[in-house]
Structures are given as C-alpha cells and as structure tokens.
Amino acid sequence: MTTFVDRVELHVAAGNGGHGCASVHREKFKPLGGPDGGNGGRGGDVTLVVDQSVTTLLEYHHSPHRKATNGQPGAGDNRSGKDGQDLVLTVPDGTVVLDKRGNVLADLVGEGTTFVAGQGGRGGLGNAALASARRKAPGFALLGEPGEARDIVLELKTVADVALVGYPSAGKSSLISVLSAAKPKIADYPFTTLVPNLGVVTAGSTVYTIADVPGLIPGASQGRGLGLEFLRHVERCSVLVHVLDTATLESERDPVTDLDVIEEELKQYGGLEDRPRIVVLNKIDIPDGQDLADMIRPDLEERGYQVFEVSAVARTGLKELSYALAGIVAEARAAKPKEEATRIVIRPKAVDDAGFTVTYDEHEEVYRVRGEKPERWVRQTDFNNDEAVGYLADRLNRLGVEDQLMKAGARAGDGVAIGSEDNAVVFDWEPTMMAGAEMLGRRGEDHRLEAPRPAAQRRRDRDAERVDPQREYDEFDPF
C-alpha cells in the first residue's frame, strides 16, 4: 500500500455566500414597519497551512475533492445568516502549489505558512441594507456570490540541507542510518528506497538535515525510472553528496563513470549548478573497495572534489564527513539573505482607473464589459425580479459603464455582455437609464424592462435565417 505521495491533484471549492432576505416588518398597529431582511453569511475559504508534523500528501491522494461550507441565508427581523466555516488543509513543509498549466501559485516553506486556495463567496445584502431615501422599501435582495472553485496541483519538494545522490544500491540508505537516527529500508537489491528519507545530524554546534534521495539512473532527467519525482527533492538542498559504490558487482560500472552519469542528469534537470559537491567513496571495508578508492581518489581530487572514504558498515570516516558537511551547511546559511518582515504596500487607485473595460466583440456583435465590480454585481442579481434588475442598471450607471459605452460607439439597442465569453449576461442597452427609484412602478417591478429589445430581435432574426442542411434535405426529399 502506498504510504508516501509527493504529487497530487486537488479539487477545491470554497463555500457560496448566503442569499440576502427580502422581508417587511409586520407588527400589530405598525402598518409601515419597513424592510427588515438580513444579510447572507460569507462562504468559507479553503486555506492551505504548513504543518511540520505532516510529511506526505497521501490524505489528498485518497480524497482529492475538498469543499468549504456555505454561508447561511439572511432572515427577517434583521437576522443575518451564519458565515460558512473555513476549511483548513495541512500540507508538508516545502509544498509547491501550481495551477493546471504548471504556473506556480505559492511556495509554502516554513511552519504556519498559509495560502488561500479558494476564496469564499460574499453574502448578499438584505433589503434592509439596500433601503435608501429614494428606495424606502426594496422588494428584492442580493444573491450570495458563488465561492471560488478550481483545480490545483500540490508538489512536495523535500526541505533538507544535504542530499545524498547516486546509483541504486550505492549505500545511501545505510549512510543516512548511521549518520542520523533515521531508519530507512536497507536491502541488497536495487531500488530498495522508493521515497526520500530525512534524518537530523548533529555535528558540534551545527544541526542540519540530510535527505536520502532514491537511486538515479541514466535518463532520470527525462523521467526514466521515476527520475523527475526523485530529482524534485534535490532542488532545495544546499549541498549535494555523491555516494559512489567502490564495491559494485556490475562489471560495466565504475565509480568515476557513475559520477559523470549522475552529474549529467543533474545538469539536464537544471538549477543545481551552484550547489557545492562532496564525493563519498562508500564500502571501503571490502578489500577490493579500498583498493579501488585508492586508485580513483587522486583523479577526483584533481577535478576539484572534496573526497571522503567511509564505510557505513564498519562506521569509519563518518565523523570527518559529518563535520565537513556541517561546515558547508553553516557557510550556506550565513550566505543566505536575512529574511525581512513583510511590508504592507498600499497602492492607491489611479485617477483614470475605472475598474472595468469596455471592448467590442466583432464575432458576437456585442460590447463586452469586464471588471470585478460589474461581474460581481451581475452574479448577485436576481433576474427574476424586475426591481433587482433596475437596481443593477442604476449601479452600472453610477459606476460609469454607460459613459464608457458611449465613448466606445455603442448605440441604443446594441447588445452588451457583462462577463467572460463562456459565462456572460447579455442585454440590450438603453442609454436613457439615468434615474433610479423615482422611475419604479409598483414594488418589485421596473417599467424600463417593458420597452422593446431591438438587439435581441436582430439576433433572433439572424438565427432564423440560418438554414439547417438536414432540414432542407427533408423538405425537398421526393421520397
């Protein structure tokens, strides 16, 4: 059974906002009680939080669909709906959040680091909050905004100071087991280690972590033998340790060739050129291993490598290796820039920034309005209520949408779409929408919607002119 997962696809959905309530206060001897509809509650967020006690993404491998709770709708007597409960998902330290296209959304390193993967929807306002001097008793309320839903990819990259790399069965698991208290699986066959193992080493006053990366083979940088999954765990390490087997039983292999092959794979993977390297000649307790180590050590030192001869079984040469790694780790930590407290940056809105754009879509023959506020207002509008639609028109007018449509060349009756191409609300524009509550008729109605809609009629006529080939064939089929 799989116990370690370092890459999962997660489907998150934040909670929807609760709908506002349209209610009128009714009490004996108080015929004009006024609106008392409460606001809807906010939908819950989906938040990722780093937890040091979590070491795998296995939980999300089995349950990839996660959803926060919705906000409750408002009620009469000015009772607001309850907010949805936030969903907190714990992830290991070193988790990278990506979208479906591979773009990095967040790099979660450090205990307590958070990332909001899904923003909860806003609750709709009740008619009590929508009342004004000109609209004393609104017959509508705003709908709750849908919560954010998206698919993300979580990738775990091991956070360690030292990475042990090398061929399978080079003795990396044995080495980490004697340097630290880690207890990895050790056996005399290749690919014994299928997941990275972490250990903590204390050398003098320096404490550092060491990772045993599963064995690499030629072609690992192109994904052969799960190479990409293994190489991912090397990226954050400060020091790379080449563990070379001086007692390999394969006649076509030798330590120097193994080093060249692994270095080529690291080069192909990229981003690791600046990491210091150390070479460890392992298994010198075997007579042939010591003889081979004596032969190749001058060649490796001539290349500029710092070479250590060790034996994980006999536990020789380990102290010198651990203190040398501690010195390099200490230098790497000192060279890192000091972390500064996050500064709060306030960026005022530009004078000419309207918060929305108006463009003409020649294919659909509509003027398309895109912007956070217009699109949110559309999502919160109940189009079954004429008064709510009139209120939306007033808000868009006050925002300046009508002025921008005029500047873009729109005329009365032209189609206007608010939102993206796949999820837009289309209506016919009337440039005389200057007034608000004083133009309303009975409560819950807006006579501006009773006017003819020439743009919609033109679209219907255009669709009717399109001839269906199958229908034409059926009409003229002599049989």
Side-chain angles (χ1 to χ4, degrees):
M1 179 180 294
T2 302
T3 58
F4 180 84
V5 175
D6 58 0
R7 190 179 191 277
V8 296
E9 182 176 339
L10 193 61
H11 312 278
V12 297
N16 300 328
H19 299 328
C21 176
S23 173
V24 176
H25 182 72
R26 300 184 184 277
E27 188 176 348
K28 192 176 183 179
F29 306 121
K30 290 186 178 180
L32 301 177
D36 66 348
N39 303 331
R42 177 188 62 85
D45 298 335
V46 179
T47 306
L48 305 179
V49 180
V50 173
D51 187 350
Q52 296 285 2
S53 62
V54 180
T55 59
T56 177
L57 300 172
L58 180 64
E59 179 183 359
Y60 310 118
H61 174 72
H62 295 304
S63 302
H65 297 271
R66 300 301 177 100
K67 187 179 187 307
T69 57
N70 299 329
Q72 297 299 313
D77 200 15
N78 293 304
R79 290 175 294 175
S80 297
K82 182 181 179 181
D83 291 341
Q85 187 175 0
D86 295 340
L87 179 61
V88 179
L89 305 177
T90 56
V91 295
D93 190 8
T95 301
V96 180
V97 186
L98 306 99
D99 60 12
K100 294 287 289 183
R101 298 182 178 179
N103 301 317
V104 177
L105 303 177
D107 193 353
L108 306 179
V109 179
E111 177 72 19
T113 306
T114 62
F115 171 71
V116 179
Q119 187 76 38
R122 299 190 185 191
L125 297 179
N127 64 343
L130 297 173
S132 63
R134 293 191 297 179
R135 183 180 279 108
K136 297 183 181 298
F140 67 97
L142 298 185
L143 303 179
E145 189 178 7
E148 184 180 10
R150 59 179 173 178
D151 300 334
I152 59 176
V153 177
L154 303 182
E155 284 189 354
L156 175 59
K157 297 181 180 179
T158 303
V159 179
D161 298 304
V162 180
L164 304 180
V165 297
Y167 263 75
S169 296
K172 301 183 297 297
S173 298
S174 301
L175 189 59
I176 194 175
S177 66
V178 296
L179 286 174
S180 66
K183 301 299 180 185
K185 181 180 180 181
I186 300 174
D188 58 350
Y189 54 83
F191 294 107
T192 307
T193 303
L194 296 178
V195 299
N197 297 301
L198 284 178
V200 179
V201 182
T202 302
S205 59
T206 304
V207 179
Y208 58 92
T209 55
I210 186 169
D212 166 24
V213 179
L216 302 176
I217 60 175
S221 59
Q222 279 72 43
R224 185 182 177 191
L226 299 178
L228 292 178
E229 283 74 5
F230 295 165
L231 285 169
R232 182 189 310 135
H233 298 277
V234 185
E235 292 185 23
R236 302 185 189 276
C237 299
S238 304
V239 186
L240 299 181
V241 177
H242 285 281
V243 181
L244 304 181
D245 186 359
T246 60
T248 178
L249 299 178
E250 302 178 28
S251 58
E252 67 275 7
R253 281 179 49 199
D254 65 87
V256 177
T257 304
D258 291 352
L259 174 64
D260 294 337
V261 170
I262 299 301
E263 275 293 336
E264 180 63 25
E265 296 303 323
L266 296 176
K267 179 181 177 182
Q268 294 294 329
Y269 187 74
L272 303 172
E273 295 80 7
D274 59 335
R275 312 298 166 84
R277 266 79 160 167
I278 285 182
V279 174
V280 172
L281 302 177
N282 194 20
K283 303 182 182 180
I284 61 170
D285 55 304
I286 300 176
D288 293 341
Q290 182 63 65
D291 295 340
L292 182 58
D294 294 338
M295 292 174 55
I296 64 175
R297 179 165 185 162
D299 184 18
L300 296 174
E301 291 178 342
E302 193 174 320
R303 295 188 183 188
Y305 291 108
Q306 192 175 359
V307 183
F308 292 88
E309 299 178 6
V310 302
S311 171
V313 175
R315 303 202 175 194
T316 58
L318 300 178
K319 185 175 180 180
E320 294 81 359
L321 174 62
S322 63
Y323 275 87
L325 292 175
I328 299 177
V329 170
E331 292 178 1
R333 291 175 179 174
K336 285 185 178 180
K338 294 183 179 180
E339 296 184 0
E340 298 181 356
T342 304
R343 300 179 60 185
I344 299 176
V345 180
I346 300 177
R347 294 182 174 86
K349 180 181 176 181
V351 177
D352 57 348
D353 184 10
F356 64 92
T357 59
V358 177
T359 57
Y360 182 67
D361 189 340
E362 296 182 356
H363 178 69
E364 297 293 336
E365 297 183 357
V366 295
Y367 289 87
R368 195 170 299 279
V369 180
R370 299 300 308 272
E372 180 184 357
K373 283 186 177 181
E375 294 181 31
R376 172 162 54 86
W377 292 346
V378 165
R379 290 193 296 266
Q380 292 185 314
T381 299
D382 180 9
F383 287 94
N384 294 323
N385 188 305
D386 293 348
E387 190 179 357
V389 178
Y391 177 70
L392 171 64
D394 295 338
R395 300 178 83 180
L396 295 175
N397 185 24
R398 290 194 299 268
L399 186 63
V401 174
E402 183 168 326
D403 295 338
Q404 294 298 324
L405 286 171
M406 289 182 177
K407 293 180 181 179
R411 296 176 299 174
D414 287 343
V416 175
I418 300 180
S420 58
E421 295 183 4
D422 55 346
N423 186 22
V425 175
V426 183
F427 61 93
D428 295 329
W429 180 54
E430 290 296 335
T432 57
M433 295 183 184
M434 299 298 294
E438 68 277 3
M439 296 186 63
L440 299 179
R442 292 182 301 173
R443 186 168 173 269
E445 298 180 355
D446 193 322
H447 68 81
R448 291 175 289 184
L449 301 178
E450 299 176 1
R453 305 176 62 191
Q457 185 62 41
R458 287 198 301 269
R459 287 193 295 272
R460 286 194 292 268
D461 295 341
R462 184 180 58 200
D463 295 339
E465 292 176 358
R466 297 175 181 174
V467 180
D468 187 358
Q470 183 63 35
R471 179 181 176 184
E472 184 179 2
Y473 174 79
D474 294 339
E475 290 178 353
F476 294 97
D477 187 1
F479 303 100

